[in-house]
Amino acid sequence: MIGVVGGMGSYAGIDLIKKIYNFSGAKEDQDHLPISMISLPQEIEDRTRYLLGEVDVNPGIVIGKIVKMLALNGAKVMGIPCNTAHAPIIFQEVLKNLPMDCLLLNMIDEVGTFIKFEYPSVKRVGILSTTGTYRVGIYKDVLSSYKLVVIQPSEQIQHEYVHSSIYNPDYGIKTQSNPVQQRACENLKLAASHLIENGAEVIVMGCTEIPLAFDANEIQGYPLIDATGVLARALVRAASRNVTTIL
């Protein structure tokens, strides 16, 4: 069983499950891998607010408890559809509750592996993300081990175009996810263009809510990499290997 920690944002968990189904290769209902999702958004502190020092409680504490609950429900392979939750200070807290017989995939590592496999000639990777992920440098730290150079927006672009498109109470994706408001879509496309102008060869949608704003897998001819989709593929592979081992 695949376990999904939902609630960060809530549509991101639903999006991950949809993509797991898309990549499963199932021909009928019975072919699909079993999935369990627990979504407790009211109990999980905002990851960016924690990383920016605006709240004191580490979100990883509750996320870790949810991971344990998923394991009790039978999940053996798990994923967290929230890039910011993979900041080491949060992710390490989650791992404290991971049972020995369970596997928790690291979304950021999976993105690095995906880029090196699918785009071996790429050297410069643009990142669109929350300000928490941006400030802590989650992608920069991980992708450097894959010999990839990370390009992030300027502080102004990050604040006015990316952060606002996610968090603005009037038009941000956390407020309006289905459908995403046009202003949020336009702002994120402008931010992606800014990354391309600064040398990015691919763009990682490094917030699980950002893919909801794009209706294509490229922009200006440059690939858009959906971190949620990458995680979904990896979960399907890992769960399928686990099923084979059991059988």
Side-chain angles (χ1 to χ4, degrees):
M1 180 182 289
I2 294 173
V4 174
V5 182
M8 300 178 285
S10 295
Y11 272 92
I14 296 168
D15 190 42
L16 175 60
I17 291 177
K18 182 178 74 173
K19 287 167 181 171
I20 290 171
Y21 287 150
N22 289 345
F23 295 133
S24 70
K27 304 299 183 184
E28 57 184 4
D29 289 346
Q30 291 73 24
D31 291 341
H32 283 287
L33 291 163
I35 299 175
S36 176
M37 181 172 80
I38 296 177
S39 182
L40 301 175
Q42 76 281 8
E43 296 188 21
I44 305 173
E45 290 286 0
D46 185 270
R47 286 64 58 204
T48 289
R49 292 187 65 202
Y50 173 70
L51 293 175
L52 296 181
E54 297 174 4
V55 295
D56 296 327
V57 179
N58 190 330
I61 296 171
V62 173
I63 298 171
K65 291 178 180 178
I66 294 173
V67 162
K68 193 170 183 179
M69 292 165 63
L70 287 167
L72 290 172
N73 282 349
K76 295 298 182 183
V77 179
M78 304 183 204
I80 304 172
C82 173
N83 290 260
T84 315
H86 289 73
I89 194 172
I90 299 175
F91 198 72
Q92 291 301 319
E93 186 66 38
V94 177
L95 292 176
K96 292 178 182 179
N97 281 282
L98 184 68
M100 292 288 290
D101 61 342
C102 294
L103 173 65
L104 176 61
L105 299 187
N106 186 306
M107 174 187 282
I108 317 301
D109 282 331
E110 296 296 340
V111 169
T113 300
F114 179 83
I115 293 172
K116 293 304 289 185
F117 183 79
E118 295 290 337
Y119 303 98
S121 64
V122 163
K123 302 297 182 186
R124 298 167 66 84
V125 180
I127 306 293
L128 294 176
S129 68
T130 65
T131 298
T133 296
Y134 176 91
R135 290 279 174 80
V136 176
I138 301 170
Y139 270 97
K140 183 177 181 180
D141 290 344
V142 173
L143 296 191
S144 64
S145 66
Y146 291 86
K147 302 189 185 307
L148 295 169
V149 175
V150 165
I151 300 173
Q152 297 188 130
S154 66
E155 286 276 356
Q156 180 183 0
I157 295 291
Q158 176 65 29
H159 177 71
E160 295 182 8
Y161 292 91
V162 185
H163 181 83
S164 62
S165 295
I166 300 169
Y167 281 95
N168 186 280
D170 296 322
Y171 62 86
I173 303 174
K174 287 188 179 294
T175 300
Q176 298 285 338
S177 297
N178 188 27
V180 175
Q181 294 296 295
Q182 186 64 30
R183 183 173 178 183
C185 294
E186 291 174 355
N187 282 356
L188 289 168
K189 289 176 182 178
L190 285 169
S193 296
H194 167 77
L195 294 174
I196 292 167
E197 289 169 3
N198 282 276
E201 299 167 83
V202 298
I203 307 293
V204 172
M205 296 181 284
C207 166
T208 46
E209 287 162 308
I210 289 177
L212 302 174
F214 286 90
D215 56 5
N217 57 10
E218 64 177 37
I219 182 168
Q220 298 176 24
Y222 292 84
L224 286 168
I225 296 175
D226 177 1
T228 305
V230 170
L231 179 60
R233 289 174 185 266
L235 286 167
V236 169
R237 285 196 304 269
S240 299
R241 285 197 300 267
N242 200 18
V243 168
T244 302
T245 300
I246 293 170
L247 294 177

